[in-house]
Amino acid sequence: MASLEPDSQPQPKPNPALALQAEILARPATEERRMADAIRALAIDAVEKAKSGHPGMPLGMADVATVLFSQFVKFDAADPRWPDRDRFVLSAGHGSMLLYSILHLTGQPGMTIDDIRHFRQLHSPAAGHPEFGEAPGIETTTGPLGQGIGNAVGMALAERLMAARFGKSLVDHRTWAICGDGCLQEGISHEAASLAGHLGLDKLTLLWDDNSVTIDGATDLSFTDDTLKRFQSYGWAVRRVDGHDTAEVAAALAWATRTPRPVLIACRTIIGFSAPKKAGTAASHGSPLGPEEAAAAKSALGWNHPPFEVPDGLRERWEAAGRRSAGTRRAWLKRLAKHPMKADFERAVAGRLPEAWHEALAALRVKTAEDRPKIASRIASQRALEALVPAVPEMVGGSADLTGSNNTNVKGIPFVTPENFAGRYVHYGVREHGMASAMNGMALHGGIIPYAGTFLVFADYMRPAIRLAALMRQRVIHVLTHDSIGLGEDGPTHQPVETLAGLRAIPNLFVFRPGDAMETAECWELAVKRADGPSVLALSRQNLTPYRTEAGENRCARGGYVVEEASGSRRATLIATGSEVSLALVARTALEAEGIPTAVVSLPCWELFAAQDAGYREAVLGDALRVGIEAAVSFGWDRWLGPEGLFIGMEGFGASGPAEELFRHFGLTAEAVTAAVKKRIG
């Protein structure tokens, strides 16, 4: 094909954002605008020095954030963890310099100008994306888009639950979140926003950075939703504003505080605002502006100060914003001092359990040892919850529309409804991802220990939120039932043969797979007691044969232990979890009868077992042939079995049929174990 003539070459499309930007920059510079420019300057400087980062969103949303923090967010920089503060979530966590600039400028601890100079560098609290725990004012870890929306919904729900328990004099605050187009495209935003609208979380406001740009270019490449109508259909109130008109933004935020529904405000902004060439384009999204463009952007703002320098007048105005609610906090502290529930409130917020929280569970363990019930671990889990939930008022349960299957409800505990936030059981609906992210928000808010259930196979729907709970070290408990081919007829779509391995790969996540009712009670005790990370309880649908007859020491606390020792010097050690422990015990009996001394080890929590000293682990596992038995794939078992070990489990997906037939079909029987051991040892 003939080439185009020079004068017929495609011309670059004009950038309409630049004309609009020029009009905005020509407006009189208000006090709010100059305060916003301090955010912009710090964002430009930090990204340029780091030679990486995302300047576009901080530059575009600086005006909105300035109005929000200088006039509306209830916080006191002197005490960033004040329990009745408003929560702020930066769901679009790539724009982290927006948050870091505000934390620094308002005088909050843990974000010095030196920290910002070291943006995105090792050991700086100003990490590439906000990380919970790095500075007191960072409410949650964000970056995976949409997670912050789910967290914010959970925080707003926790506020309502805590207010119902302790009263408005102690709990009366709002949740604010900033999200981007990408957050709203992620499926979790639909789940979380739908739940918030259903519950009528009227103290939740979502500020959408509506800049029509994503990494690939204009949003209309892939995103042509009518977002405002979408949120209206959820039951939200919506409004659109010019995100660079501070008066218009302030009026919308004031309206949001009076609106008896969750609110979405679409803030029309220019990404990369002030950059003379890159503003309004994807080029300003995820990389430095470059020295020339950065200098020109600051010049366009009239910002003539050296890098990382904020003039005293502007700094004083920002620090005054940080002190704006100091009197409100002091008044709250006086109310707390006189409040009849002061001790309970402080204990709950600190994450401490009630003194006698474990007594009912201890009584259940005694009864379990006496009765030796042959029940599914999901039923045993419900019995543990019947002991725990009345004793631990912070525990708030739920299920993703599987209450009768997960057995997460407790008789006498009311449901949470839009009319009754005094309930303690949430019907999350078929929204597993949104549920898990909201649970993270509830835990981050404080005063709540969330637990909820679905099928283990649907952990894949929740994995990003479970991973973040582990990263943030939040006490969140997932009750994941129907844990193997033992669920039977529902077939391979619901049989999580690979899911345990995937969950065990997540650092700081405790995965419990108890083998009988006693172990289930013990694992629940450990999950509730654990304050530095999330837990998963993988529970069976089918009944499990009991093997524990004592109720003294919590033997699951060490992650693994010898259930039955060999009659002599071990020739084999059968290592199993969950429903396969009782199978191993039957195989042991057969092997012992043939003169092969065999021990059985239960390994309900690999993470706890790995934390024990090497001497204990070696004593439990022994130096004889090690045989792993689990109705799952073998991935990960090598660490316990060694190079000479055997694994008896699944080699592929399951099938549809009665559980007993499936175990026989896939060779998960005592006979198969016995034969495999005999063949190996000769």
Side-chain angles (χ1 to χ4, degrees):
M1 188 173 72
S3 61
L4 294 171
E5 292 297 322
D7 59 357
S8 64
Q9 292 286 343
Q11 297 299 309
K13 292 181 180 179
N15 181 355
L18 296 182
L20 178 59
Q21 174 172 279
E23 185 272 319
I24 295 169
L25 288 169
R27 296 173 188 171
T30 63
E31 179 177 310
E32 289 85 0
R33 160 67 193 285
R34 299 307 294 158
M35 292 173 72
D37 288 346
I39 295 174
R40 293 186 174 104
L42 288 175
I44 290 170
D45 293 340
V47 173
E48 288 300 310
K49 187 171 189 297
K51 295 183 171 56
S52 74
H54 299 76
M57 195 276 275
L59 294 177
M61 282 295 279
D63 296 307
V64 174
T66 297
V67 175
L68 181 64
F69 275 88
S70 65
Q71 299 181 42
F72 290 92
V73 177
K74 182 175 71 170
F75 76 108
D76 185 353
D79 185 3
R81 306 303 295 172
W82 165 35
D84 200 38
R85 70 191 179 281
D86 283 0
R87 271 49 171 191
F88 172 73
V89 174
L90 185 68
S91 184
H94 56 274
S96 55
M97 270 309 305
L98 181 77
L99 176 59
Y100 301 153
S101 298
I102 290 168
L103 296 181
H104 171 68
L105 290 167
T106 55
Q108 298 195 43
M111 194 58 66
T112 66
I113 195 65
D114 193 53
D115 294 326
I116 289 177
R117 286 178 187 274
H118 290 88
F119 175 56
R120 295 172 75 94
Q121 305 308 302
L122 186 63
H123 304 310
S124 172
H129 294 83
E131 295 183 23
F132 176 78
E134 288 297 315
I138 300 173
E139 298 282 5
T140 181
T141 297
T142 55
L145 294 179
Q147 289 293 329
I149 297 177
N151 293 169
V153 170
M155 291 175 183
L157 175 55
E159 191 274 346
R160 294 288 77 207
L161 298 172
M162 292 284 282
R165 179 179 174 190
F166 293 107
K168 194 173 180 179
S169 65
L170 291 187
V171 184
D172 185 13
H173 52 265
R174 306 187 65 84
T175 302
W176 310 88
I178 287 177
C179 73
D181 295 300
C183 294
L184 295 179
Q185 291 178 45
E186 289 286 358
I188 188 173
S189 74
H190 298 257
E191 296 182 26
S194 175
L195 178 64
H198 166 72
L199 291 173
L201 299 178
D202 60 331
K203 293 189 174 184
L204 173 64
T205 301
L206 185 59
L207 303 167
W208 168 27
D209 180 18
D210 180 16
N211 59 35
S212 299
V213 172
T214 58
I215 293 174
D216 280 358
T219 52
D220 60 13
L221 288 169
S222 61
F223 186 56
T224 49
D225 302 11
D226 188 327
T227 300
L228 297 190
K229 285 185 178 178
R230 173 188 147 196
F231 272 76
Q232 281 180 316
S233 77
Y234 296 145
W236 290 53
V238 301
R239 181 174 286 193
R240 189 181 296 280
V241 299
D242 175 351
H244 298 292
D245 185 326
T246 54
E248 196 173 323
V249 171
L253 293 174
W255 165 76
T257 64
R258 302 189 301 268
T259 301
R261 285 184 286 169
V263 169
L264 172 72
I265 300 175
C267 305
R268 199 75 181 96
T269 63
I270 298 173
I271 190 172
F273 180 80
S274 75
K277 297 177 182 176
K278 296 184 178 181
T281 72
S284 69
H285 168 80
S287 58
L289 296 178
E292 290 184 13
E293 185 84 350
K298 292 167 79 173
S299 177
L301 296 171
W303 191 271
N304 302 311
H305 311 286
F308 301 103
E309 182 176 303
V310 177
D312 290 343
L314 277 182
R315 186 174 291 280
E316 286 164 7
R317 285 198 283 276
W318 268 113
E319 289 176 353
R323 295 189 298 270
R324 185 172 48 83
S325 299
T328 304
R329 180 178 68 89
R330 287 192 295 269
W332 180 87
L333 287 170
K334 290 177 182 177
R335 294 196 301 275
L336 175 65
K338 299 174 183 177
H339 201 282
M341 299 183 74
K342 176 179 184 291
D344 266 353
F345 179 83
E346 291 181 329
R347 179 190 58 72
V349 168
R352 297 191 304 271
L353 297 170
E355 271 190 42
W357 72 274
H358 59 284
E359 290 180 359
L361 191 62
L364 172 66
R365 290 178 58 207
V366 170
K367 182 172 174 53
T368 300
E370 294 171 352
D371 296 349
R372 295 173 57 83
K374 185 176 182 178
I375 55 176
S377 52
R378 63 173 176 154
I379 303 297
S381 170
Q382 186 170 38
R383 294 183 182 181
L385 286 169
E386 287 168 353
L388 284 166
V389 172
V392 184
E394 293 79 57
M395 290 182 69
V396 174
S399 172
D401 196 49
L402 288 167
T403 296
S405 296
N406 302 147
N407 301 92
T408 41
N409 59 318
V410 174
K411 188 177 181 180
I413 298 297
F415 302 139
V416 174
T417 69
E419 299 77 31
N420 178 30
F421 287 101
R424 292 172 56 200
Y425 190 88
V426 182
H427 288 290
Y428 287 100
V430 189
R431 303 183 180 102
E432 294 91 350
H433 196 183
M435 173 179 77
S437 185
M439 290 166 69
N440 288 353
M442 294 162 75
L444 287 159
H445 177 277
I448 303 287
I449 300 174
Y451 73 91
T454 186
F455 291 164
L456 178 59
V457 75
F458 298 139
D460 287 343
Y461 285 169
M462 305 190 294
R463 187 180 180 86
I466 295 175
R467 180 178 183 272
L468 283 173
L471 180 60
M472 294 187 285
R473 298 186 169 274
Q474 292 303 297
R475 177 159 48 190
V476 176
I477 304 171
H478 295 282
V479 183
L480 304 182
T481 69
H482 296 58
D483 71 347
S484 70
I485 60 170
L487 69 87
E489 292 84 350
D490 277 343
T493 60
H494 284 54
Q495 292 166 0
V497 295
E498 80 289 6
T499 312
L500 284 169
L503 291 172
R504 287 168 176 157
I506 298 176
N508 197 43
L509 174 66
F510 283 7
V511 180
F512 295 99
R513 189 170 185 243
D516 70 354
M518 181 64 75
E519 282 197 356
T520 304
E522 290 182 347
C523 290
W524 257 114
E525 179 183 358
L526 297 168
V528 170
K529 191 160 56 174
R530 185 181 190 213
D532 63 349
S535 300
V536 161
L537 287 103
L539 305 172
S540 75
R541 177 181 184 266
Q542 75 274 26
N543 290 338
L544 304 180
T545 301
Y547 48 83
R548 288 280 300 280
T549 59
E550 83 291 342
E553 174 193 2
N554 184 327
R555 302 192 72 187
C556 292
R558 302 191 76 172
Y561 63 97
V562 178
V563 180
E564 288 285 349
E565 188 51 270
S567 59
S569 181
R570 288 190 203 179
R571 296 193 66 195
T573 303
L574 309 181
I575 308 164
T577 76
S579 52
E580 289 69 69
V581 177
S582 55
L583 181 157
L585 286 165
V586 175
R588 174 193 179 274
T589 300
L591 289 166
E592 288 276 355
E594 297 199 33
I596 303 172
T598 303
V600 172
V601 167
S602 176
L603 211 63
C605 183
W606 290 16
E607 296 76 27
L608 283 172
F609 189 66
Q612 307 306 307
D613 63 83
Y616 177 79
R617 296 197 306 269
E618 289 300 316
V620 169
L621 299 177
D623 54 9
L625 171 68
R626 298 178 184 178
V627 183
I629 311 168
E630 190 170 63
V633 297
S634 64
F635 196 87
W637 270 92
D638 288 352
R639 69 186 300 193
W640 310 125
L641 303 181
E644 303 302 320
L646 282 175
F647 179 77
I648 297 171
M650 299 295 294
E651 295 181 356
F653 292 113
S656 176
E660 298 81 0
E661 293 182 22
L662 292 176
F663 275 93
R664 285 195 297 271
H665 175 73
F666 289 108
L668 276 157
T669 64
E671 293 79 12
V673 172
T674 302
V677 171
K678 289 169 64 179
K679 182 178 180 181
R680 171 61 67 89
I681 66 176

